[in-house]
């Protein structure tokens, strides 16, 4: 067992669960509905654990990442549509994360937003160029764990533990059903964003995972990494329910979210919380840029891999650099990064069934996976979640329009 491999799961989980949009999305849901949305995060967390374990297992056994399976199982035409959708969502999300980095830096330094966008984009390019893959995992994955400041803050606030516990029991909010449904779909979908498994499975191939030694590690990494991400999301809902719901504050700005750590812990809590957000959104930006490059390279059959020298994989390297460069340019126009991420989550869910169906088919294929094919529990959970994702995909855009992005 190699404990540092957990960094891959932690980075994938934090980048998926607590990127800039989800940070504000979770706190907005907590401010509006309190603990009534916690059970949705738990269900989403179980879903991403199920699918990430499958994707990692496929990577270990076949030495092929997720998008390779998508192309093989769906055929060229359907896979091309999935590719275009995944690239668009990854680019939207990467742009939002670069903007989110600039927002955090502005809170920390008071500098000009557009100049900080440029600094954030250049910083990402340098970090991805210079840092080996395993150090990207460690620096940004474990750095994002500074978000535990919000967990400490949540405990310090002395929440009503009985109400919090009841939040884990599935139920529908007693009012504003349409807006609640929008947040329910958003929270559920945000936990299962496809770029998480693209990055995770490609990372497993990059690290040379092999059967049978790394199968157990893949299971541990999936469960531990995404459970940490879910815990941090629940923490944000908790502090929002305690601080913002009673006084009717809508935490639409990142600085308002930072108060969740500052209120009980003071300036140290605020700095730790903002540092955690900075690492989390930076990690998410790297996740999305690399996953976009992974997908394009794997679809077109290019040599790929962050672990390889750029001269060995020039088109792959150029792709992730172009992703970050475009994100920098778009973010510098002043587009709202929080709204942009919400759009990426809502439109991302539309592509989820096409992403996870081939994963289920490959992971359950005994001709490919042999004794490591899906068992009864994995298959049942996988198909159940595919149905839920299909329902979410069909309802996401109508709910977005009808509720004006949850604003009513």
């Amino acid at each position: 067992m190699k404990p540092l491999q957990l960094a891959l799961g932690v980075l994938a989980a934090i980048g998926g669960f607590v990127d800039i949009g989800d940070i504000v999305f979770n706190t907005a849901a907590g401010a509006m509905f309190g603990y009534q949305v916690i059970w949705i995060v738990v269900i989403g967390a179980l879903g991403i654990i199920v699918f990430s374990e499958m994707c990692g297992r496929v990577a270990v056994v076949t030495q092929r990442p997720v998008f390779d399976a998508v192309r093989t199982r769906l055929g060229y035409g359907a896979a091309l549509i999935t590719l275009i959708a995944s690239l668009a969502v990854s680019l939207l999300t990467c742009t939002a994360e670069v903007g989110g980095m600039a927002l955090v830096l502005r809170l920390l330094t008071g500098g000009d937003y557009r100049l900080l966008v440029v600094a954030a984009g250049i910083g990402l390019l340098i970090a991805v160029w210079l840092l080996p893959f395993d150090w990207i995992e460690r620096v940004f994955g474990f750095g994002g764990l500074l978000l535990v400041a919000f967990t400490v803050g949540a405990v310090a606030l002395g929440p009503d533990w009985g109400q919090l516990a009841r939040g884990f029991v599935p139920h529908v909010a007693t009012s504003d059903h349409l807006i609640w449904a929008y947040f329910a779909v958003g929270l559920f979908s945000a936990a299962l964003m496809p770029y998480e498994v693209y990055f995770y499975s490609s990372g497993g191939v990059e690290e040379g995972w092999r059967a049978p030694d790394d199968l157990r590690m893949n299971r541990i990494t999936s469960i531990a990494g995404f459970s940490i991400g879910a815990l941090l999301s629940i923490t944000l809902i908790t502090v929002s329910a305690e601080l913002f719901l009673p006084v009717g504050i809508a935490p639409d700005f990142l600085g308002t979210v930072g108060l969740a750590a500052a209120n009980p812990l003071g300036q140290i809590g605020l700095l730790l919380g903002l540092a955690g957000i900075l690492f989390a959104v930076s990690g998410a930006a790297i996740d999305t840029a690399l996953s976009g490059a992974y997908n394009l390279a794997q679809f077109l059959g290019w040599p790929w891999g962050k672990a390889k020298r750029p001269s060995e994989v020039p088109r792959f390297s150029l792709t992730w650099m172009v992703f970050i460069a475009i994100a920098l340019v778009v973010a510098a126009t002043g587009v709202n990064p929080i709204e942009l991420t919400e759009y990426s989550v809502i439109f991302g869910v539309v592509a989820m069934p096409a992403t996870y169906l081939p994963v289920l088919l490959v992971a359950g294929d005994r001709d490919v996976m042999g004794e490591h094919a899906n068992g009864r529990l994995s298959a049942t959970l996988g198909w159940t979640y595919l149905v839920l994702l299909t329902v979410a995909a069909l309802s996401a855009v109508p709910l977005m329009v009808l509720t004006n992005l949850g604003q009513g």
Side-chain angles (χ1 to χ4, degrees):
M1 179 174 172
K2 294 170 273 188
L4 283 177
Q5 282 186 2
L6 285 172
L8 177 58
V10 171
L11 177 56
I14 289 179
F17 270 98
V18 283
D19 63 13
I20 189 63
D22 291 312
I23 289 169
V24 175
F25 205 91
N26 283 316
T27 51
M32 188 170 294
F33 298 105
Y35 299 118
Q36 298 180 81
V37 293
I38 287 179
W39 66 272
I40 301 165
V41 174
V42 174
I43 290 179
L46 178 59
I48 194 60
I49 287 171
V50 168
F51 283 120
S52 66
E53 190 280 329
M54 281 188 203
C55 293
R57 179 158 33 94
V58 169
V60 170
V61 174
T62 68
Q63 293 299 292
R64 295 165 58 194
V66 169
F67 211 85
D68 201 342
V70 172
R71 184 189 60 186
T72 302
R73 285 288 170 154
L74 294 184
Y76 182 86
L80 179 61
I81 295 173
T82 304
L83 173 68
I84 293 171
S86 70
L87 292 177
V89 171
S90 293
L91 186 56
L92 277 174
T93 309
C94 188
T95 302
E97 305 307 337
V98 172
M101 291 173 64
L103 287 177
V104 177
L105 291 172
R106 186 172 65 178
L107 289 171
L108 290 170
T109 67
D112 180 80
Y113 174 76
R114 285 180 169 80
L115 290 178
L116 291 173
V117 165
V118 175
I122 293 174
L124 285 175
L125 287 168
I126 293 172
V128 181
W129 183 272
L130 293 180
L131 290 177
F133 187 84
D134 53 353
W135 276 102
I136 289 175
E137 297 170 17
R138 296 169 193 173
V139 171
F140 294 97
F142 293 138
L145 293 179
L146 290 173
L147 288 167
V148 75
F150 290 99
T151 305
V152 175
V155 175
L157 286 169
D160 184 326
W161 296 104
Q163 286 190 22
L164 195 154
R166 286 191 288 273
F168 286 84
V169 179
H171 63 283
V172 177
T174 55
S175 62
D176 297 318
H177 298 303
L178 202 61
I179 295 177
W180 181 88
Y182 168 78
F183 278 103
V185 169
L187 289 170
F188 175 70
S189 304
L192 286 134
M193 289 294 282
Y195 76 81
E196 300 170 50
V197 294
Y198 294 146
F199 178 81
Y200 179 71
S201 66
S202 297
V205 175
E206 291 244 43
E207 293 191 340
W209 289 4
R210 293 288 187 275
D213 295 343
D214 288 306
L215 286 171
R216 179 168 173 265
M217 191 64 213
N218 167 59
R219 189 174 299 112
I220 292 172
T221 300
S222 299
I223 294 172
F226 287 98
S227 294
I228 291 171
L231 174 62
L232 293 172
S233 288
I234 291 170
T235 290
L236 291 170
I237 292 171
T238 300
V239 293
S240 186
E242 292 295 321
L243 285 178
F244 305 135
L245 178 61
V247 293
I249 293 177
D252 296 325
F253 301 99
L254 197 58
T256 310
V257 177
L259 295 176
N263 185 281
L265 299 177
Q267 188 175 14
I268 292 178
L270 176 62
L271 292 175
L272 288 176
L274 290 177
I277 293 174
L278 181 60
F279 276 109
V281 297
S282 300
I286 292 172
D287 280 12
T288 51
L290 286 178
S291 68
Y294 285 138
N295 293 350
L296 185 62
Q298 290 158 12
F299 180 83
L300 296 175
W302 297 344
W304 59 273
K306 176 62 186 71
K308 298 178 181 178
R309 291 192 301 271
S311 59
E312 297 178 285
V313 286
R315 289 173 290 188
F316 168 80
S317 300
L318 180 61
T319 301
W320 65 254
M321 286 188 282
V322 168
F323 252 74
I324 295 175
I326 293 175
L328 186 162
V329 171
V330 176
T333 65
V335 63
N336 188 324
I338 295 168
E339 286 189 8
L340 198 59
T341 303
E342 290 196 37
Y343 280 116
S344 73
V345 170
I346 296 302
F347 288 114
V349 68
V350 177
M352 287 183 191
T355 297
Y356 291 117
L357 174 60
V359 171
L360 269 170
L361 295 175
V362 172
D365 189 340
R366 293 198 175 275
D367 291 337
V368 176
M369 299 294 291
E371 63 180 317
H372 303 300
N374 283 344
R376 184 173 298 176
L377 178 61
S378 292
T380 300
L381 287 172
W383 286 106
T384 299
Y385 271 98
L386 188 68
V387 171
L388 292 175
L389 283 170
T390 301
V391 172
L394 293 173
S395 60
V397 174
L399 284 171
M400 179 188 72
V401 174
L402 289 172
T403 66
N404 188 28
L405 285 175
Q407 301 301 310

